[in-house]
mmCIF file of all heavy atoms in Angstrom:
data_model
loop_
_atom_site.group_PDB
_atom_site.id
_atom_site.type_symbol
_atom_site.label_atom_id
_atom_site.label_comp_id
_atom_site.label_asym_id
_atom_site.label_seq_id
_atom_site.Cartn_x
_atom_site.Cartn_y
_atom_site.Cartn_z
ATOM 1 N N THR A 1 0.806 -1.214 0.000
ATOM 2 C CA THR A 1 0.000 0.000 0.000
ATOM 3 C C THR A 1 0.842 1.268 0.000
ATOM 4 O O THR A 1 0.301 2.367 0.044
ATOM 5 C CB THR A 1 -0.943 0.037 1.216
ATOM 6 O OG1 THR A 1 -0.161 -0.038 2.424
ATOM 7 C CG2 THR A 1 -1.947 -1.114 1.163
ATOM 8 N N SER A 2 2.157 1.143 -0.028
ATOM 9 C CA SER A 2 3.011 2.321 -0.033
ATOM 10 C C SER A 2 3.122 2.889 -1.442
ATOM 11 O O SER A 2 2.981 2.186 -2.439
ATOM 12 C CB SER A 2 4.401 1.988 0.519
ATOM 13 O OG SER A 2 5.030 0.989 -0.265
ATOM 14 N N SER A 3 3.388 4.188 -1.538
ATOM 15 C CA SER A 3 3.369 4.902 -2.809
ATOM 16 C C SER A 3 4.376 4.370 -3.817
ATOM 17 O O SER A 3 4.161 4.468 -5.028
ATOM 18 C CB SER A 3 3.626 6.394 -2.570
ATOM 19 O OG SER A 3 4.912 6.609 -2.004
ATOM 20 N N SER A 4 5.499 3.783 -3.328
ATOM 21 C CA SER A 4 6.536 3.302 -4.239
ATOM 22 C C SER A 4 6.055 2.150 -5.118
ATOM 23 O O SER A 4 6.686 1.841 -6.128
ATOM 24 C CB SER A 4 7.771 2.869 -3.439
ATOM 25 O OG SER A 4 7.443 1.834 -2.516
ATOM 26 N N HIS A 5 4.942 1.514 -4.767
ATOM 27 C CA HIS A 5 4.415 0.382 -5.533
ATOM 28 C C HIS A 5 3.303 0.794 -6.501
ATOM 29 O O HIS A 5 2.657 -0.063 -7.098
ATOM 30 C CB HIS A 5 3.907 -0.704 -4.587
ATOM 31 C CG HIS A 5 4.996 -1.378 -3.814
ATOM 32 N ND1 HIS A 5 5.690 -2.466 -4.282
ATOM 33 C CD2 HIS A 5 5.529 -1.091 -2.602
ATOM 34 C CE1 HIS A 5 6.591 -2.827 -3.388
ATOM 35 N NE2 HIS A 5 6.517 -2.004 -2.350
ATOM 36 N N PHE A 6 3.092 2.118 -6.649
ATOM 37 C CA PHE A 6 2.045 2.606 -7.537
ATOM 38 C C PHE A 6 2.651 3.541 -8.576
ATOM 39 O O PHE A 6 3.321 4.523 -8.235
ATOM 40 C CB PHE A 6 0.952 3.316 -6.746
ATOM 41 C CG PHE A 6 0.149 2.401 -5.867
ATOM 42 C CD1 PHE A 6 0.627 2.021 -4.626
ATOM 43 C CD2 PHE A 6 -1.053 1.895 -6.289
ATOM 44 C CE1 PHE A 6 -0.077 1.148 -3.816
ATOM 45 C CE2 PHE A 6 -1.791 1.034 -5.483
ATOM 46 C CZ PHE A 6 -1.293 0.657 -4.246
ATOM 47 N N LYS A 7 2.444 3.217 -9.838
ATOM 48 C CA LYS A 7 2.915 4.028 -10.952
ATOM 49 C C LYS A 7 1.695 4.606 -11.670
ATOM 50 O O LYS A 7 0.999 3.911 -12.398
ATOM 51 C CB LYS A 7 3.767 3.196 -11.921
ATOM 52 C CG LYS A 7 4.917 2.439 -11.250
ATOM 53 C CD LYS A 7 5.915 3.375 -10.602
ATOM 54 C CE LYS A 7 7.069 2.592 -9.966
ATOM 55 N NZ LYS A 7 7.995 3.486 -9.222
ATOM 56 N N LEU A 8 1.435 5.877 -11.430
ATOM 57 C CA LEU A 8 0.249 6.530 -11.964
ATOM 58 C C LEU A 8 0.642 7.527 -13.037
ATOM 59 O O LEU A 8 1.622 8.259 -12.890
ATOM 60 C CB LEU A 8 -0.520 7.240 -10.843
ATOM 61 C CG LEU A 8 -0.804 6.419 -9.572
ATOM 62 C CD1 LEU A 8 -1.575 7.255 -8.561
ATOM 63 C CD2 LEU A 8 -1.566 5.145 -9.900
ATOM 64 N N SER A 9 -0.124 7.557 -14.097
ATOM 65 C CA SER A 9 0.166 8.469 -15.191
ATOM 66 C C SER A 9 -1.140 9.072 -15.707
ATOM 67 O O SER A 9 -2.230 8.556 -15.463
ATOM 68 C CB SER A 9 0.909 7.760 -16.323
ATOM 69 O OG SER A 9 0.136 6.689 -16.852
ATOM 70 N N GLY A 10 -1.008 10.168 -16.423
ATOM 71 C CA GLY A 10 -2.176 10.836 -16.980
ATOM 72 C C GLY A 10 -2.809 11.805 -16.007
ATOM 73 O O GLY A 10 -3.018 11.493 -14.835
ATOM 74 N N ARG A 11 -3.097 13.003 -16.448
ATOM 75 C CA ARG A 11 -3.809 14.029 -15.690
ATOM 76 C C ARG A 11 -3.131 14.380 -14.381
ATOM 77 O O ARG A 11 -3.781 14.672 -13.380
ATOM 78 C CB ARG A 11 -5.266 13.614 -15.428
ATOM 79 C CG ARG A 11 -6.025 13.157 -16.660
ATOM 80 C CD ARG A 11 -5.940 14.188 -17.764
ATOM 81 N NE ARG A 11 -6.603 13.732 -18.980
ATOM 82 C CZ ARG A 11 -6.554 14.356 -20.140
ATOM 83 N NH1 ARG A 11 -5.810 15.455 -20.257
ATOM 84 N NH2 ARG A 11 -7.193 13.881 -21.185
ATOM 85 N N ASN A 12 -1.800 14.301 -14.386
ATOM 86 C CA ASN A 12 -1.018 14.652 -13.198
ATOM 87 C C ASN A 12 -1.441 13.865 -11.956
ATOM 88 O O ASN A 12 -1.499 14.391 -10.844
ATOM 89 C CB ASN A 12 -1.101 16.152 -12.896
ATOM 90 C CG ASN A 12 -0.466 17.015 -13.945
ATOM 91 O OD1 ASN A 12 -0.111 16.548 -15.015
ATOM 92 N ND2 ASN A 12 -0.296 18.280 -13.663
ATOM 93 N N ALA A 13 -1.756 12.594 -12.138
ATOM 94 C CA ALA A 13 -2.212 11.756 -11.027
ATOM 95 C C ALA A 13 -1.168 11.699 -9.924
ATOM 96 O O ALA A 13 0.020 11.506 -10.186
ATOM 97 C CB ALA A 13 -2.537 10.350 -11.525
ATOM 98 N N ASP A 14 -1.630 11.858 -8.677
ATOM 99 C CA ASP A 14 -0.748 11.911 -7.516
ATOM 100 C C ASP A 14 -1.312 11.003 -6.417
ATOM 101 O O ASP A 14 -2.395 11.252 -5.891
ATOM 102 C CB ASP A 14 -0.629 13.354 -7.020
ATOM 103 C CG ASP A 14 0.389 13.518 -5.909
ATOM 104 O OD1 ASP A 14 1.233 12.629 -5.719
ATOM 105 O OD2 ASP A 14 0.348 14.561 -5.206
ATOM 106 N N PHE A 15 -0.585 9.951 -6.090
ATOM 107 C CA PHE A 15 -1.017 8.957 -5.112
ATOM 108 C C PHE A 15 -1.290 9.582 -3.743
ATOM 109 O O PHE A 15 -0.529 10.421 -3.262
ATOM 110 C CB PHE A 15 0.058 7.876 -4.990
ATOM 111 C CG PHE A 15 -0.233 6.818 -3.954
ATOM 112 C CD1 PHE A 15 -1.003 5.704 -4.270
ATOM 113 C CD2 PHE A 15 0.269 6.930 -2.669
ATOM 114 C CE1 PHE A 15 -1.266 4.726 -3.320
ATOM 115 C CE2 PHE A 15 0.014 5.956 -1.717
ATOM 116 C CZ PHE A 15 -0.749 4.854 -2.046
ATOM 117 N N ILE A 16 -2.406 9.161 -3.102
ATOM 118 C CA ILE A 16 -2.730 9.590 -1.744
ATOM 119 C C ILE A 16 -2.557 8.432 -0.772
ATOM 120 O O ILE A 16 -1.738 8.480 0.136
ATOM 121 C CB ILE A 16 -4.173 10.128 -1.650
ATOM 122 C CG1 ILE A 16 -4.406 11.290 -2.614
ATOM 123 C CG2 ILE A 16 -4.480 10.558 -0.217
ATOM 124 C CD1 ILE A 16 -5.862 11.747 -2.668
ATOM 125 N N LYS A 17 -3.349 7.351 -0.964
ATOM 126 C CA LYS A 17 -3.290 6.208 -0.069
ATOM 127 C C LYS A 17 -3.933 5.005 -0.729
ATOM 128 O O LYS A 17 -4.629 5.127 -1.743
ATOM 129 C CB LYS A 17 -3.978 6.503 1.269
ATOM 130 C CG LYS A 17 -5.477 6.755 1.152
ATOM 131 C CD LYS A 17 -6.101 7.044 2.505
ATOM 132 C CE LYS A 17 -7.610 7.277 2.391
ATOM 133 N NZ LYS A 17 -8.225 7.572 3.712
ATOM 134 N N ALA A 18 -3.706 3.829 -0.144
ATOM 135 C CA ALA A 18 -4.327 2.599 -0.620
ATOM 136 C C ALA A 18 -4.623 1.698 0.573
ATOM 137 O O ALA A 18 -3.940 1.776 1.596
ATOM 138 C CB ALA A 18 -3.418 1.884 -1.621
ATOM 139 N N LYS A 19 -5.636 0.840 0.422
ATOM 140 C CA LYS A 19 -6.006 -0.092 1.477
ATOM 141 C C LYS A 19 -6.431 -1.414 0.851
ATOM 142 O O LYS A 19 -7.110 -1.427 -0.167
ATOM 143 C CB LYS A 19 -7.131 0.475 2.342
ATOM 144 C CG LYS A 19 -7.403 -0.327 3.610
ATOM 145 C CD LYS A 19 -8.387 0.394 4.521
ATOM 146 C CE LYS A 19 -8.598 -0.378 5.815
ATOM 147 N NZ LYS A 19 -9.547 0.339 6.728
ATOM 148 N N ILE A 20 -6.008 -2.501 1.477
ATOM 149 C CA ILE A 20 -6.271 -3.838 0.961
ATOM 150 C C ILE A 20 -7.434 -4.463 1.714
ATOM 151 O O ILE A 20 -7.542 -4.345 2.933
ATOM 152 C CB ILE A 20 -5.012 -4.710 1.083
ATOM 153 C CG1 ILE A 20 -3.898 -4.152 0.174
ATOM 154 C CG2 ILE A 20 -5.307 -6.164 0.724
ATOM 155 C CD1 ILE A 20 -2.556 -4.822 0.392
ATOM 156 N N TYR A 21 -8.307 -5.153 0.970
ATOM 157 C CA TYR A 21 -9.459 -5.839 1.547
ATOM 158 C C TYR A 21 -9.491 -7.291 1.055
ATOM 159 O O TYR A 21 -8.799 -7.656 0.094
ATOM 160 C CB TYR A 21 -10.770 -5.144 1.148
ATOM 161 C CG TYR A 21 -10.905 -3.725 1.647
ATOM 162 C CD1 TYR A 21 -10.437 -2.660 0.895
ATOM 163 C CD2 TYR A 21 -11.504 -3.457 2.869
ATOM 164 C CE1 TYR A 21 -10.562 -1.353 1.340
ATOM 165 C CE2 TYR A 21 -11.646 -2.153 3.325
ATOM 166 C CZ TYR A 21 -11.174 -1.108 2.556
ATOM 167 O OH TYR A 21 -11.313 0.183 2.998
ATOM 168 N N ASP A 22 -10.305 -8.091 1.739
ATOM 169 C CA ASP A 22 -10.569 -9.476 1.317
ATOM 170 C C ASP A 22 -9.295 -10.293 1.148
ATOM 171 O O ASP A 22 -9.095 -10.990 0.142
ATOM 172 C CB ASP A 22 -11.381 -9.505 0.017
ATOM 173 C CG ASP A 22 -12.676 -8.715 0.094
ATOM 174 O OD1 ASP A 22 -13.278 -8.706 1.183
ATOM 175 O OD2 ASP A 22 -13.070 -8.106 -0.926
ATOM 176 N N SER A 23 -8.391 -10.171 2.144
ATOM 177 C CA SER A 23 -7.150 -10.958 2.161
ATOM 178 C C SER A 23 -6.312 -10.758 0.903
ATOM 179 O O SER A 23 -5.678 -11.676 0.393
ATOM 180 C CB SER A 23 -7.464 -12.444 2.361
ATOM 181 O OG SER A 23 -8.145 -12.667 3.578
ATOM 182 N N GLY A 24 -6.338 -9.549 0.392
ATOM 183 C CA GLY A 24 -5.511 -9.226 -0.767
ATOM 184 C C GLY A 24 -6.232 -9.321 -2.092
ATOM 185 O O GLY A 24 -5.640 -9.053 -3.145
ATOM 186 N N ASP A 25 -7.510 -9.699 -2.050
ATOM 187 C CA ASP A 25 -8.263 -9.864 -3.292
ATOM 188 C C ASP A 25 -8.686 -8.530 -3.897
ATOM 189 O O ASP A 25 -8.838 -8.398 -5.109
ATOM 190 C CB ASP A 25 -9.498 -10.732 -3.047
ATOM 191 C CG ASP A 25 -10.208 -11.103 -4.337
ATOM 192 O OD1 ASP A 25 -9.549 -11.708 -5.204
ATOM 193 O OD2 ASP A 25 -11.404 -10.794 -4.466
ATOM 194 N N THR A 26 -8.876 -7.516 -3.044
ATOM 195 C CA THR A 26 -9.369 -6.221 -3.485
ATOM 196 C C THR A 26 -8.488 -5.114 -2.920
ATOM 197 O O THR A 26 -7.999 -5.208 -1.794
ATOM 198 C CB THR A 26 -10.827 -6.003 -3.024
ATOM 199 O OG1 THR A 26 -11.632 -7.086 -3.466
ATOM 200 C CG2 THR A 26 -11.381 -4.694 -3.582
ATOM 201 N N LEU A 27 -8.309 -4.065 -3.717
ATOM 202 C CA LEU A 27 -7.537 -2.912 -3.268
ATOM 203 C C LEU A 27 -8.293 -1.639 -3.632
ATOM 204 O O LEU A 27 -8.792 -1.489 -4.751
ATOM 205 C CB LEU A 27 -6.138 -2.887 -3.912
ATOM 206 C CG LEU A 27 -5.217 -1.736 -3.500
ATOM 207 C CD1 LEU A 27 -3.798 -2.225 -3.304
ATOM 208 C CD2 LEU A 27 -5.231 -0.627 -4.544
ATOM 209 N N HIS A 28 -8.399 -0.734 -2.658
ATOM 210 C CA HIS A 28 -8.972 0.588 -2.876
ATOM 211 C C HIS A 28 -7.832 1.609 -2.836
ATOM 212 O O HIS A 28 -7.065 1.665 -1.871
ATOM 213 C CB HIS A 28 -10.000 0.940 -1.799
ATOM 214 C CG HIS A 28 -11.240 0.106 -1.870
ATOM 215 N ND1 HIS A 28 -12.460 0.529 -1.375
ATOM 216 C CD2 HIS A 28 -11.471 -1.128 -2.361
ATOM 217 C CE1 HIS A 28 -13.369 -0.421 -1.552
ATOM 218 N NE2 HIS A 28 -12.788 -1.434 -2.151
ATOM 219 N N MET A 29 -7.727 2.385 -3.876
ATOM 220 C CA MET A 29 -6.677 3.388 -3.945
ATOM 221 C C MET A 29 -7.280 4.763 -4.215
ATOM 222 O O MET A 29 -8.251 4.890 -4.969
ATOM 223 C CB MET A 29 -5.684 3.052 -5.069
ATOM 224 C CG MET A 29 -4.460 3.975 -5.115
ATOM 225 S SD MET A 29 -3.829 4.249 -6.769
ATOM 226 C CE MET A 29 -5.139 5.216 -7.494
ATOM 227 N N GLU A 30 -6.712 5.801 -3.574
ATOM 228 C CA GLU A 30 -7.135 7.171 -3.804
ATOM 229 C C GLU A 30 -5.977 7.990 -4.348
ATOM 230 O O GLU A 30 -4.823 7.792 -3.970
ATOM 231 C CB GLU A 30 -7.666 7.805 -2.511
ATOM 232 C CG GLU A 30 -8.945 7.151 -1.991
ATOM 233 C CD GLU A 30 -9.449 7.779 -0.706
ATOM 234 O OE1 GLU A 30 -8.921 8.856 -0.322
ATOM 235 O OE2 GLU A 30 -10.350 7.194 -0.071
ATOM 236 N N CYS A 31 -6.310 8.912 -5.239
ATOM 237 C CA CYS A 31 -5.290 9.796 -5.793
ATOM 238 C C CYS A 31 -5.927 11.126 -6.182
ATOM 239 O O CYS A 31 -7.147 11.238 -6.317
ATOM 240 C CB CYS A 31 -4.606 9.162 -7.006
ATOM 241 S SG CYS A 31 -5.688 8.939 -8.447
ATOM 242 N N TYR A 32 -5.077 12.134 -6.325
ATOM 243 C CA TYR A 32 -5.504 13.429 -6.840
ATOM 244 C C TYR A 32 -5.195 13.508 -8.325
ATOM 245 O O TYR A 32 -4.232 12.910 -8.810
ATOM 246 C CB TYR A 32 -4.783 14.577 -6.130
ATOM 247 C CG TYR A 32 -5.228 14.837 -4.708
ATOM 248 C CD1 TYR A 32 -4.325 14.770 -3.655
ATOM 249 C CD2 TYR A 32 -6.536 15.188 -4.430
ATOM 250 C CE1 TYR A 32 -4.725 15.024 -2.351
ATOM 251 C CE2 TYR A 32 -6.950 15.444 -3.128
ATOM 252 C CZ TYR A 32 -6.036 15.359 -2.100
ATOM 253 O OH TYR A 32 -6.444 15.616 -0.818
ATOM 254 N N LEU A 33 -6.027 14.262 -9.052
ATOM 255 C CA LEU A 33 -5.744 14.572 -10.441
ATOM 256 C C LEU A 33 -5.470 16.060 -10.592
ATOM 257 O O LEU A 33 -5.529 16.826 -9.637
ATOM 258 C CB LEU A 33 -6.918 14.155 -11.340
ATOM 259 C CG LEU A 33 -7.290 12.671 -11.348
ATOM 260 C CD1 LEU A 33 -8.363 12.413 -12.400
ATOM 261 C CD2 LEU A 33 -6.077 11.785 -11.591
ATOM 262 N N LYS A 34 -5.164 16.462 -11.783
ATOM 263 C CA LYS A 34 -4.835 17.848 -12.102
ATOM 264 C C LYS A 34 -5.917 18.794 -11.586
ATOM 265 O O LYS A 34 -7.104 18.531 -11.759
ATOM 266 C CB LYS A 34 -4.691 17.993 -13.607
ATOM 267 C CG LYS A 34 -4.248 19.346 -14.106
ATOM 268 C CD LYS A 34 -4.092 19.316 -15.620
ATOM 269 C CE LYS A 34 -3.624 20.661 -16.158
ATOM 270 N NZ LYS A 34 -3.484 20.640 -17.645
ATOM 271 N N PRO A 35 -5.526 19.885 -10.895
ATOM 272 C CA PRO A 35 -6.525 20.822 -10.372
ATOM 273 C C PRO A 35 -7.482 21.325 -11.444
ATOM 274 O O PRO A 35 -7.162 21.351 -12.640
ATOM 275 C CB PRO A 35 -5.670 21.968 -9.811
ATOM 276 C CG PRO A 35 -4.373 21.315 -9.454
ATOM 277 C CD PRO A 35 -4.155 20.263 -10.523
ATOM 278 N N VAL A 36 -8.649 21.695 -10.979
ATOM 279 C CA VAL A 36 -9.724 22.128 -11.873
ATOM 280 C C VAL A 36 -9.281 23.291 -12.747
ATOM 281 O O VAL A 36 -8.663 24.248 -12.281
ATOM 282 C CB VAL A 36 -10.969 22.516 -11.053
ATOM 283 C CG1 VAL A 36 -12.022 23.184 -11.934
ATOM 284 C CG2 VAL A 36 -11.538 21.289 -10.359
ATOM 285 N N GLU A 37 -9.594 23.176 -14.027
ATOM 286 C CA GLU A 37 -9.233 24.208 -14.982
ATOM 287 C C GLU A 37 -10.221 25.371 -14.920
ATOM 288 O O GLU A 37 -11.325 25.266 -14.402
ATOM 289 C CB GLU A 37 -9.177 23.641 -16.395
ATOM 290 C CG GLU A 37 -8.102 22.573 -16.586
ATOM 291 C CD GLU A 37 -8.063 22.056 -18.006
ATOM 292 O OE1 GLU A 37 -8.924 22.467 -18.817
ATOM 293 O OE2 GLU A 37 -7.173 21.245 -18.310
ATOM 294 N N GLY A 38 -9.799 26.460 -15.519
ATOM 295 C CA GLY A 38 -10.624 27.661 -15.549
ATOM 296 C C GLY A 38 -9.801 28.867 -15.165
ATOM 297 O O GLY A 38 -8.598 28.787 -14.952
ATOM 298 N N LYS A 39 -10.403 29.979 -15.079
ATOM 299 C CA LYS A 39 -9.725 31.193 -14.686
ATOM 300 C C LYS A 39 -10.621 31.985 -13.742
ATOM 301 O O LYS A 39 -11.853 31.818 -13.752
ATOM 302 C CB LYS A 39 -9.338 32.034 -15.900
ATOM 303 C CG LYS A 39 -10.498 32.495 -16.761
ATOM 304 C CD LYS A 39 -9.986 33.266 -17.967
ATOM 305 C CE LYS A 39 -11.134 33.750 -18.856
ATOM 306 N NZ LYS A 39 -10.619 34.497 -20.043
ATOM 307 N N PRO A 40 -10.016 32.826 -12.908
ATOM 308 C CA PRO A 40 -10.817 33.605 -11.971
ATOM 309 C C PRO A 40 -11.843 34.477 -12.688
ATOM 310 O O PRO A 40 -11.635 34.907 -13.815
ATOM 311 C CB PRO A 40 -9.772 34.459 -11.242
ATOM 312 C CG PRO A 40 -8.469 33.754 -11.442
ATOM 313 C CD PRO A 40 -8.568 33.104 -12.788
ATOM 314 N N SER A 41 -12.950 34.699 -12.005
ATOM 315 C CA SER A 41 -13.997 35.538 -12.569
ATOM 316 C C SER A 41 -13.558 37.006 -12.594
ATOM 317 O O SER A 41 -12.633 37.414 -11.889
ATOM 318 C CB SER A 41 -15.287 35.384 -11.772
ATOM 319 O OG SER A 41 -15.068 35.725 -10.411
ATOM 320 N N GLU A 42 -14.234 37.787 -13.409
ATOM 321 C CA GLU A 42 -13.925 39.207 -13.524
ATOM 322 C C GLU A 42 -14.259 39.933 -12.225
ATOM 323 O O GLU A 42 -15.187 39.558 -11.504
ATOM 324 C CB GLU A 42 -14.700 39.822 -14.694
ATOM 325 C CG GLU A 42 -14.327 41.264 -15.010
ATOM 326 C CD GLU A 42 -15.003 41.781 -16.259
ATOM 327 O OE1 GLU A 42 -15.488 40.941 -17.055
ATOM 328 O OE2 GLU A 42 -15.088 43.020 -16.434
ATOM 329 N N ILE A 43 -13.520 40.972 -11.926
ATOM 330 C CA ILE A 43 -13.677 41.732 -10.690
ATOM 331 C C ILE A 43 -14.587 42.941 -10.941
ATOM 332 O O ILE A 43 -14.474 43.632 -11.964
ATOM 333 C CB ILE A 43 -12.309 42.210 -10.159
ATOM 334 C CG1 ILE A 43 -11.384 41.000 -9.939
ATOM 335 C CG2 ILE A 43 -12.477 42.987 -8.870
ATOM 336 C CD1 ILE A 43 -11.916 39.976 -8.971
ATOM 337 N N TYR A 44 -15.477 43.200 -9.973
ATOM 338 C CA TYR A 44 -16.423 44.303 -10.085
ATOM 339 C C TYR A 44 -16.335 45.194 -8.835
ATOM 340 O O TYR A 44 -15.537 44.937 -7.933
ATOM 341 C CB TYR A 44 -17.857 43.784 -10.242
ATOM 342 C CG TYR A 44 -18.058 42.923 -11.470
ATOM 343 C CD1 TYR A 44 -17.996 41.531 -11.388
ATOM 344 C CD2 TYR A 44 -18.305 43.504 -12.702
ATOM 345 C CE1 TYR A 44 -18.183 40.740 -12.515
ATOM 346 C CE2 TYR A 44 -18.493 42.716 -13.836
ATOM 347 C CZ TYR A 44 -18.424 41.343 -13.737
ATOM 348 O OH TYR A 44 -18.605 40.566 -14.858
ATOM 349 N N GLY A 45 -17.163 46.206 -8.813
ATOM 350 C CA GLY A 45 -17.251 47.083 -7.647
ATOM 351 C C GLY A 45 -16.076 48.031 -7.484
ATOM 352 O O GLY A 45 -15.720 48.382 -6.359
ATOM 353 N N LEU A 46 -15.463 48.473 -8.593
ATOM 354 C CA LEU A 46 -14.310 49.376 -8.523
ATOM 355 C C LEU A 46 -14.751 50.774 -8.109
ATOM 356 O O LEU A 46 -15.723 51.323 -8.652
ATOM 357 C CB LEU A 46 -13.592 49.441 -9.872
ATOM 358 C CG LEU A 46 -12.625 48.298 -10.210
ATOM 359 C CD1 LEU A 46 -13.363 46.976 -10.362
ATOM 360 C CD2 LEU A 46 -11.841 48.631 -11.475
ATOM 361 N N GLU A 47 -14.033 51.354 -7.153
ATOM 362 C CA GLU A 47 -14.327 52.710 -6.712
ATOM 363 C C GLU A 47 -13.090 53.322 -6.070
ATOM 364 O O GLU A 47 -12.160 52.620 -5.652
ATOM 365 C CB GLU A 47 -15.502 52.731 -5.724
ATOM 366 C CG GLU A 47 -15.248 51.973 -4.440
ATOM 367 C CD GLU A 47 -16.429 52.017 -3.492
ATOM 368 O OE1 GLU A 47 -17.484 52.472 -3.894
ATOM 369 O OE2 GLU A 47 -16.284 51.584 -2.322
#
């Protein structure tokens, strides 16, 4: 379950954690992907 055993690619995938279930039959892994795209909204209320 340590990060060194996970090779993630695409969308800037970044390992968070993993957990094994069912005596090794199942694995749940979590990771982050590339932050949400977009740009800040326009600024108003200038005075």
Side-chain angles (χ1 to χ4, degrees):
T1 58
S2 60
S3 62
S4 59
H5 292 273
F6 292 82
K7 307 298 181 185
L8 311 180
S9 60
R11 310 307 177 188
N12 294 10
D14 186 17
F15 177 86
I16 303 173
K17 64 180 181 180
K19 190 172 183 179
I20 295 171
Y21 297 89
D22 305 325
S23 300
D25 188 58
T26 305
L27 181 139
H28 292 205
M29 186 212 69
E30 295 179 11
C31 66
Y32 287 121
L33 299 186
K34 184 178 181 181
V36 171
E37 297 181 356
K39 61 183 180 180
S41 58
E42 187 174 343
I43 303 301
Y44 300 96
L46 279 66
E47 62 180 10

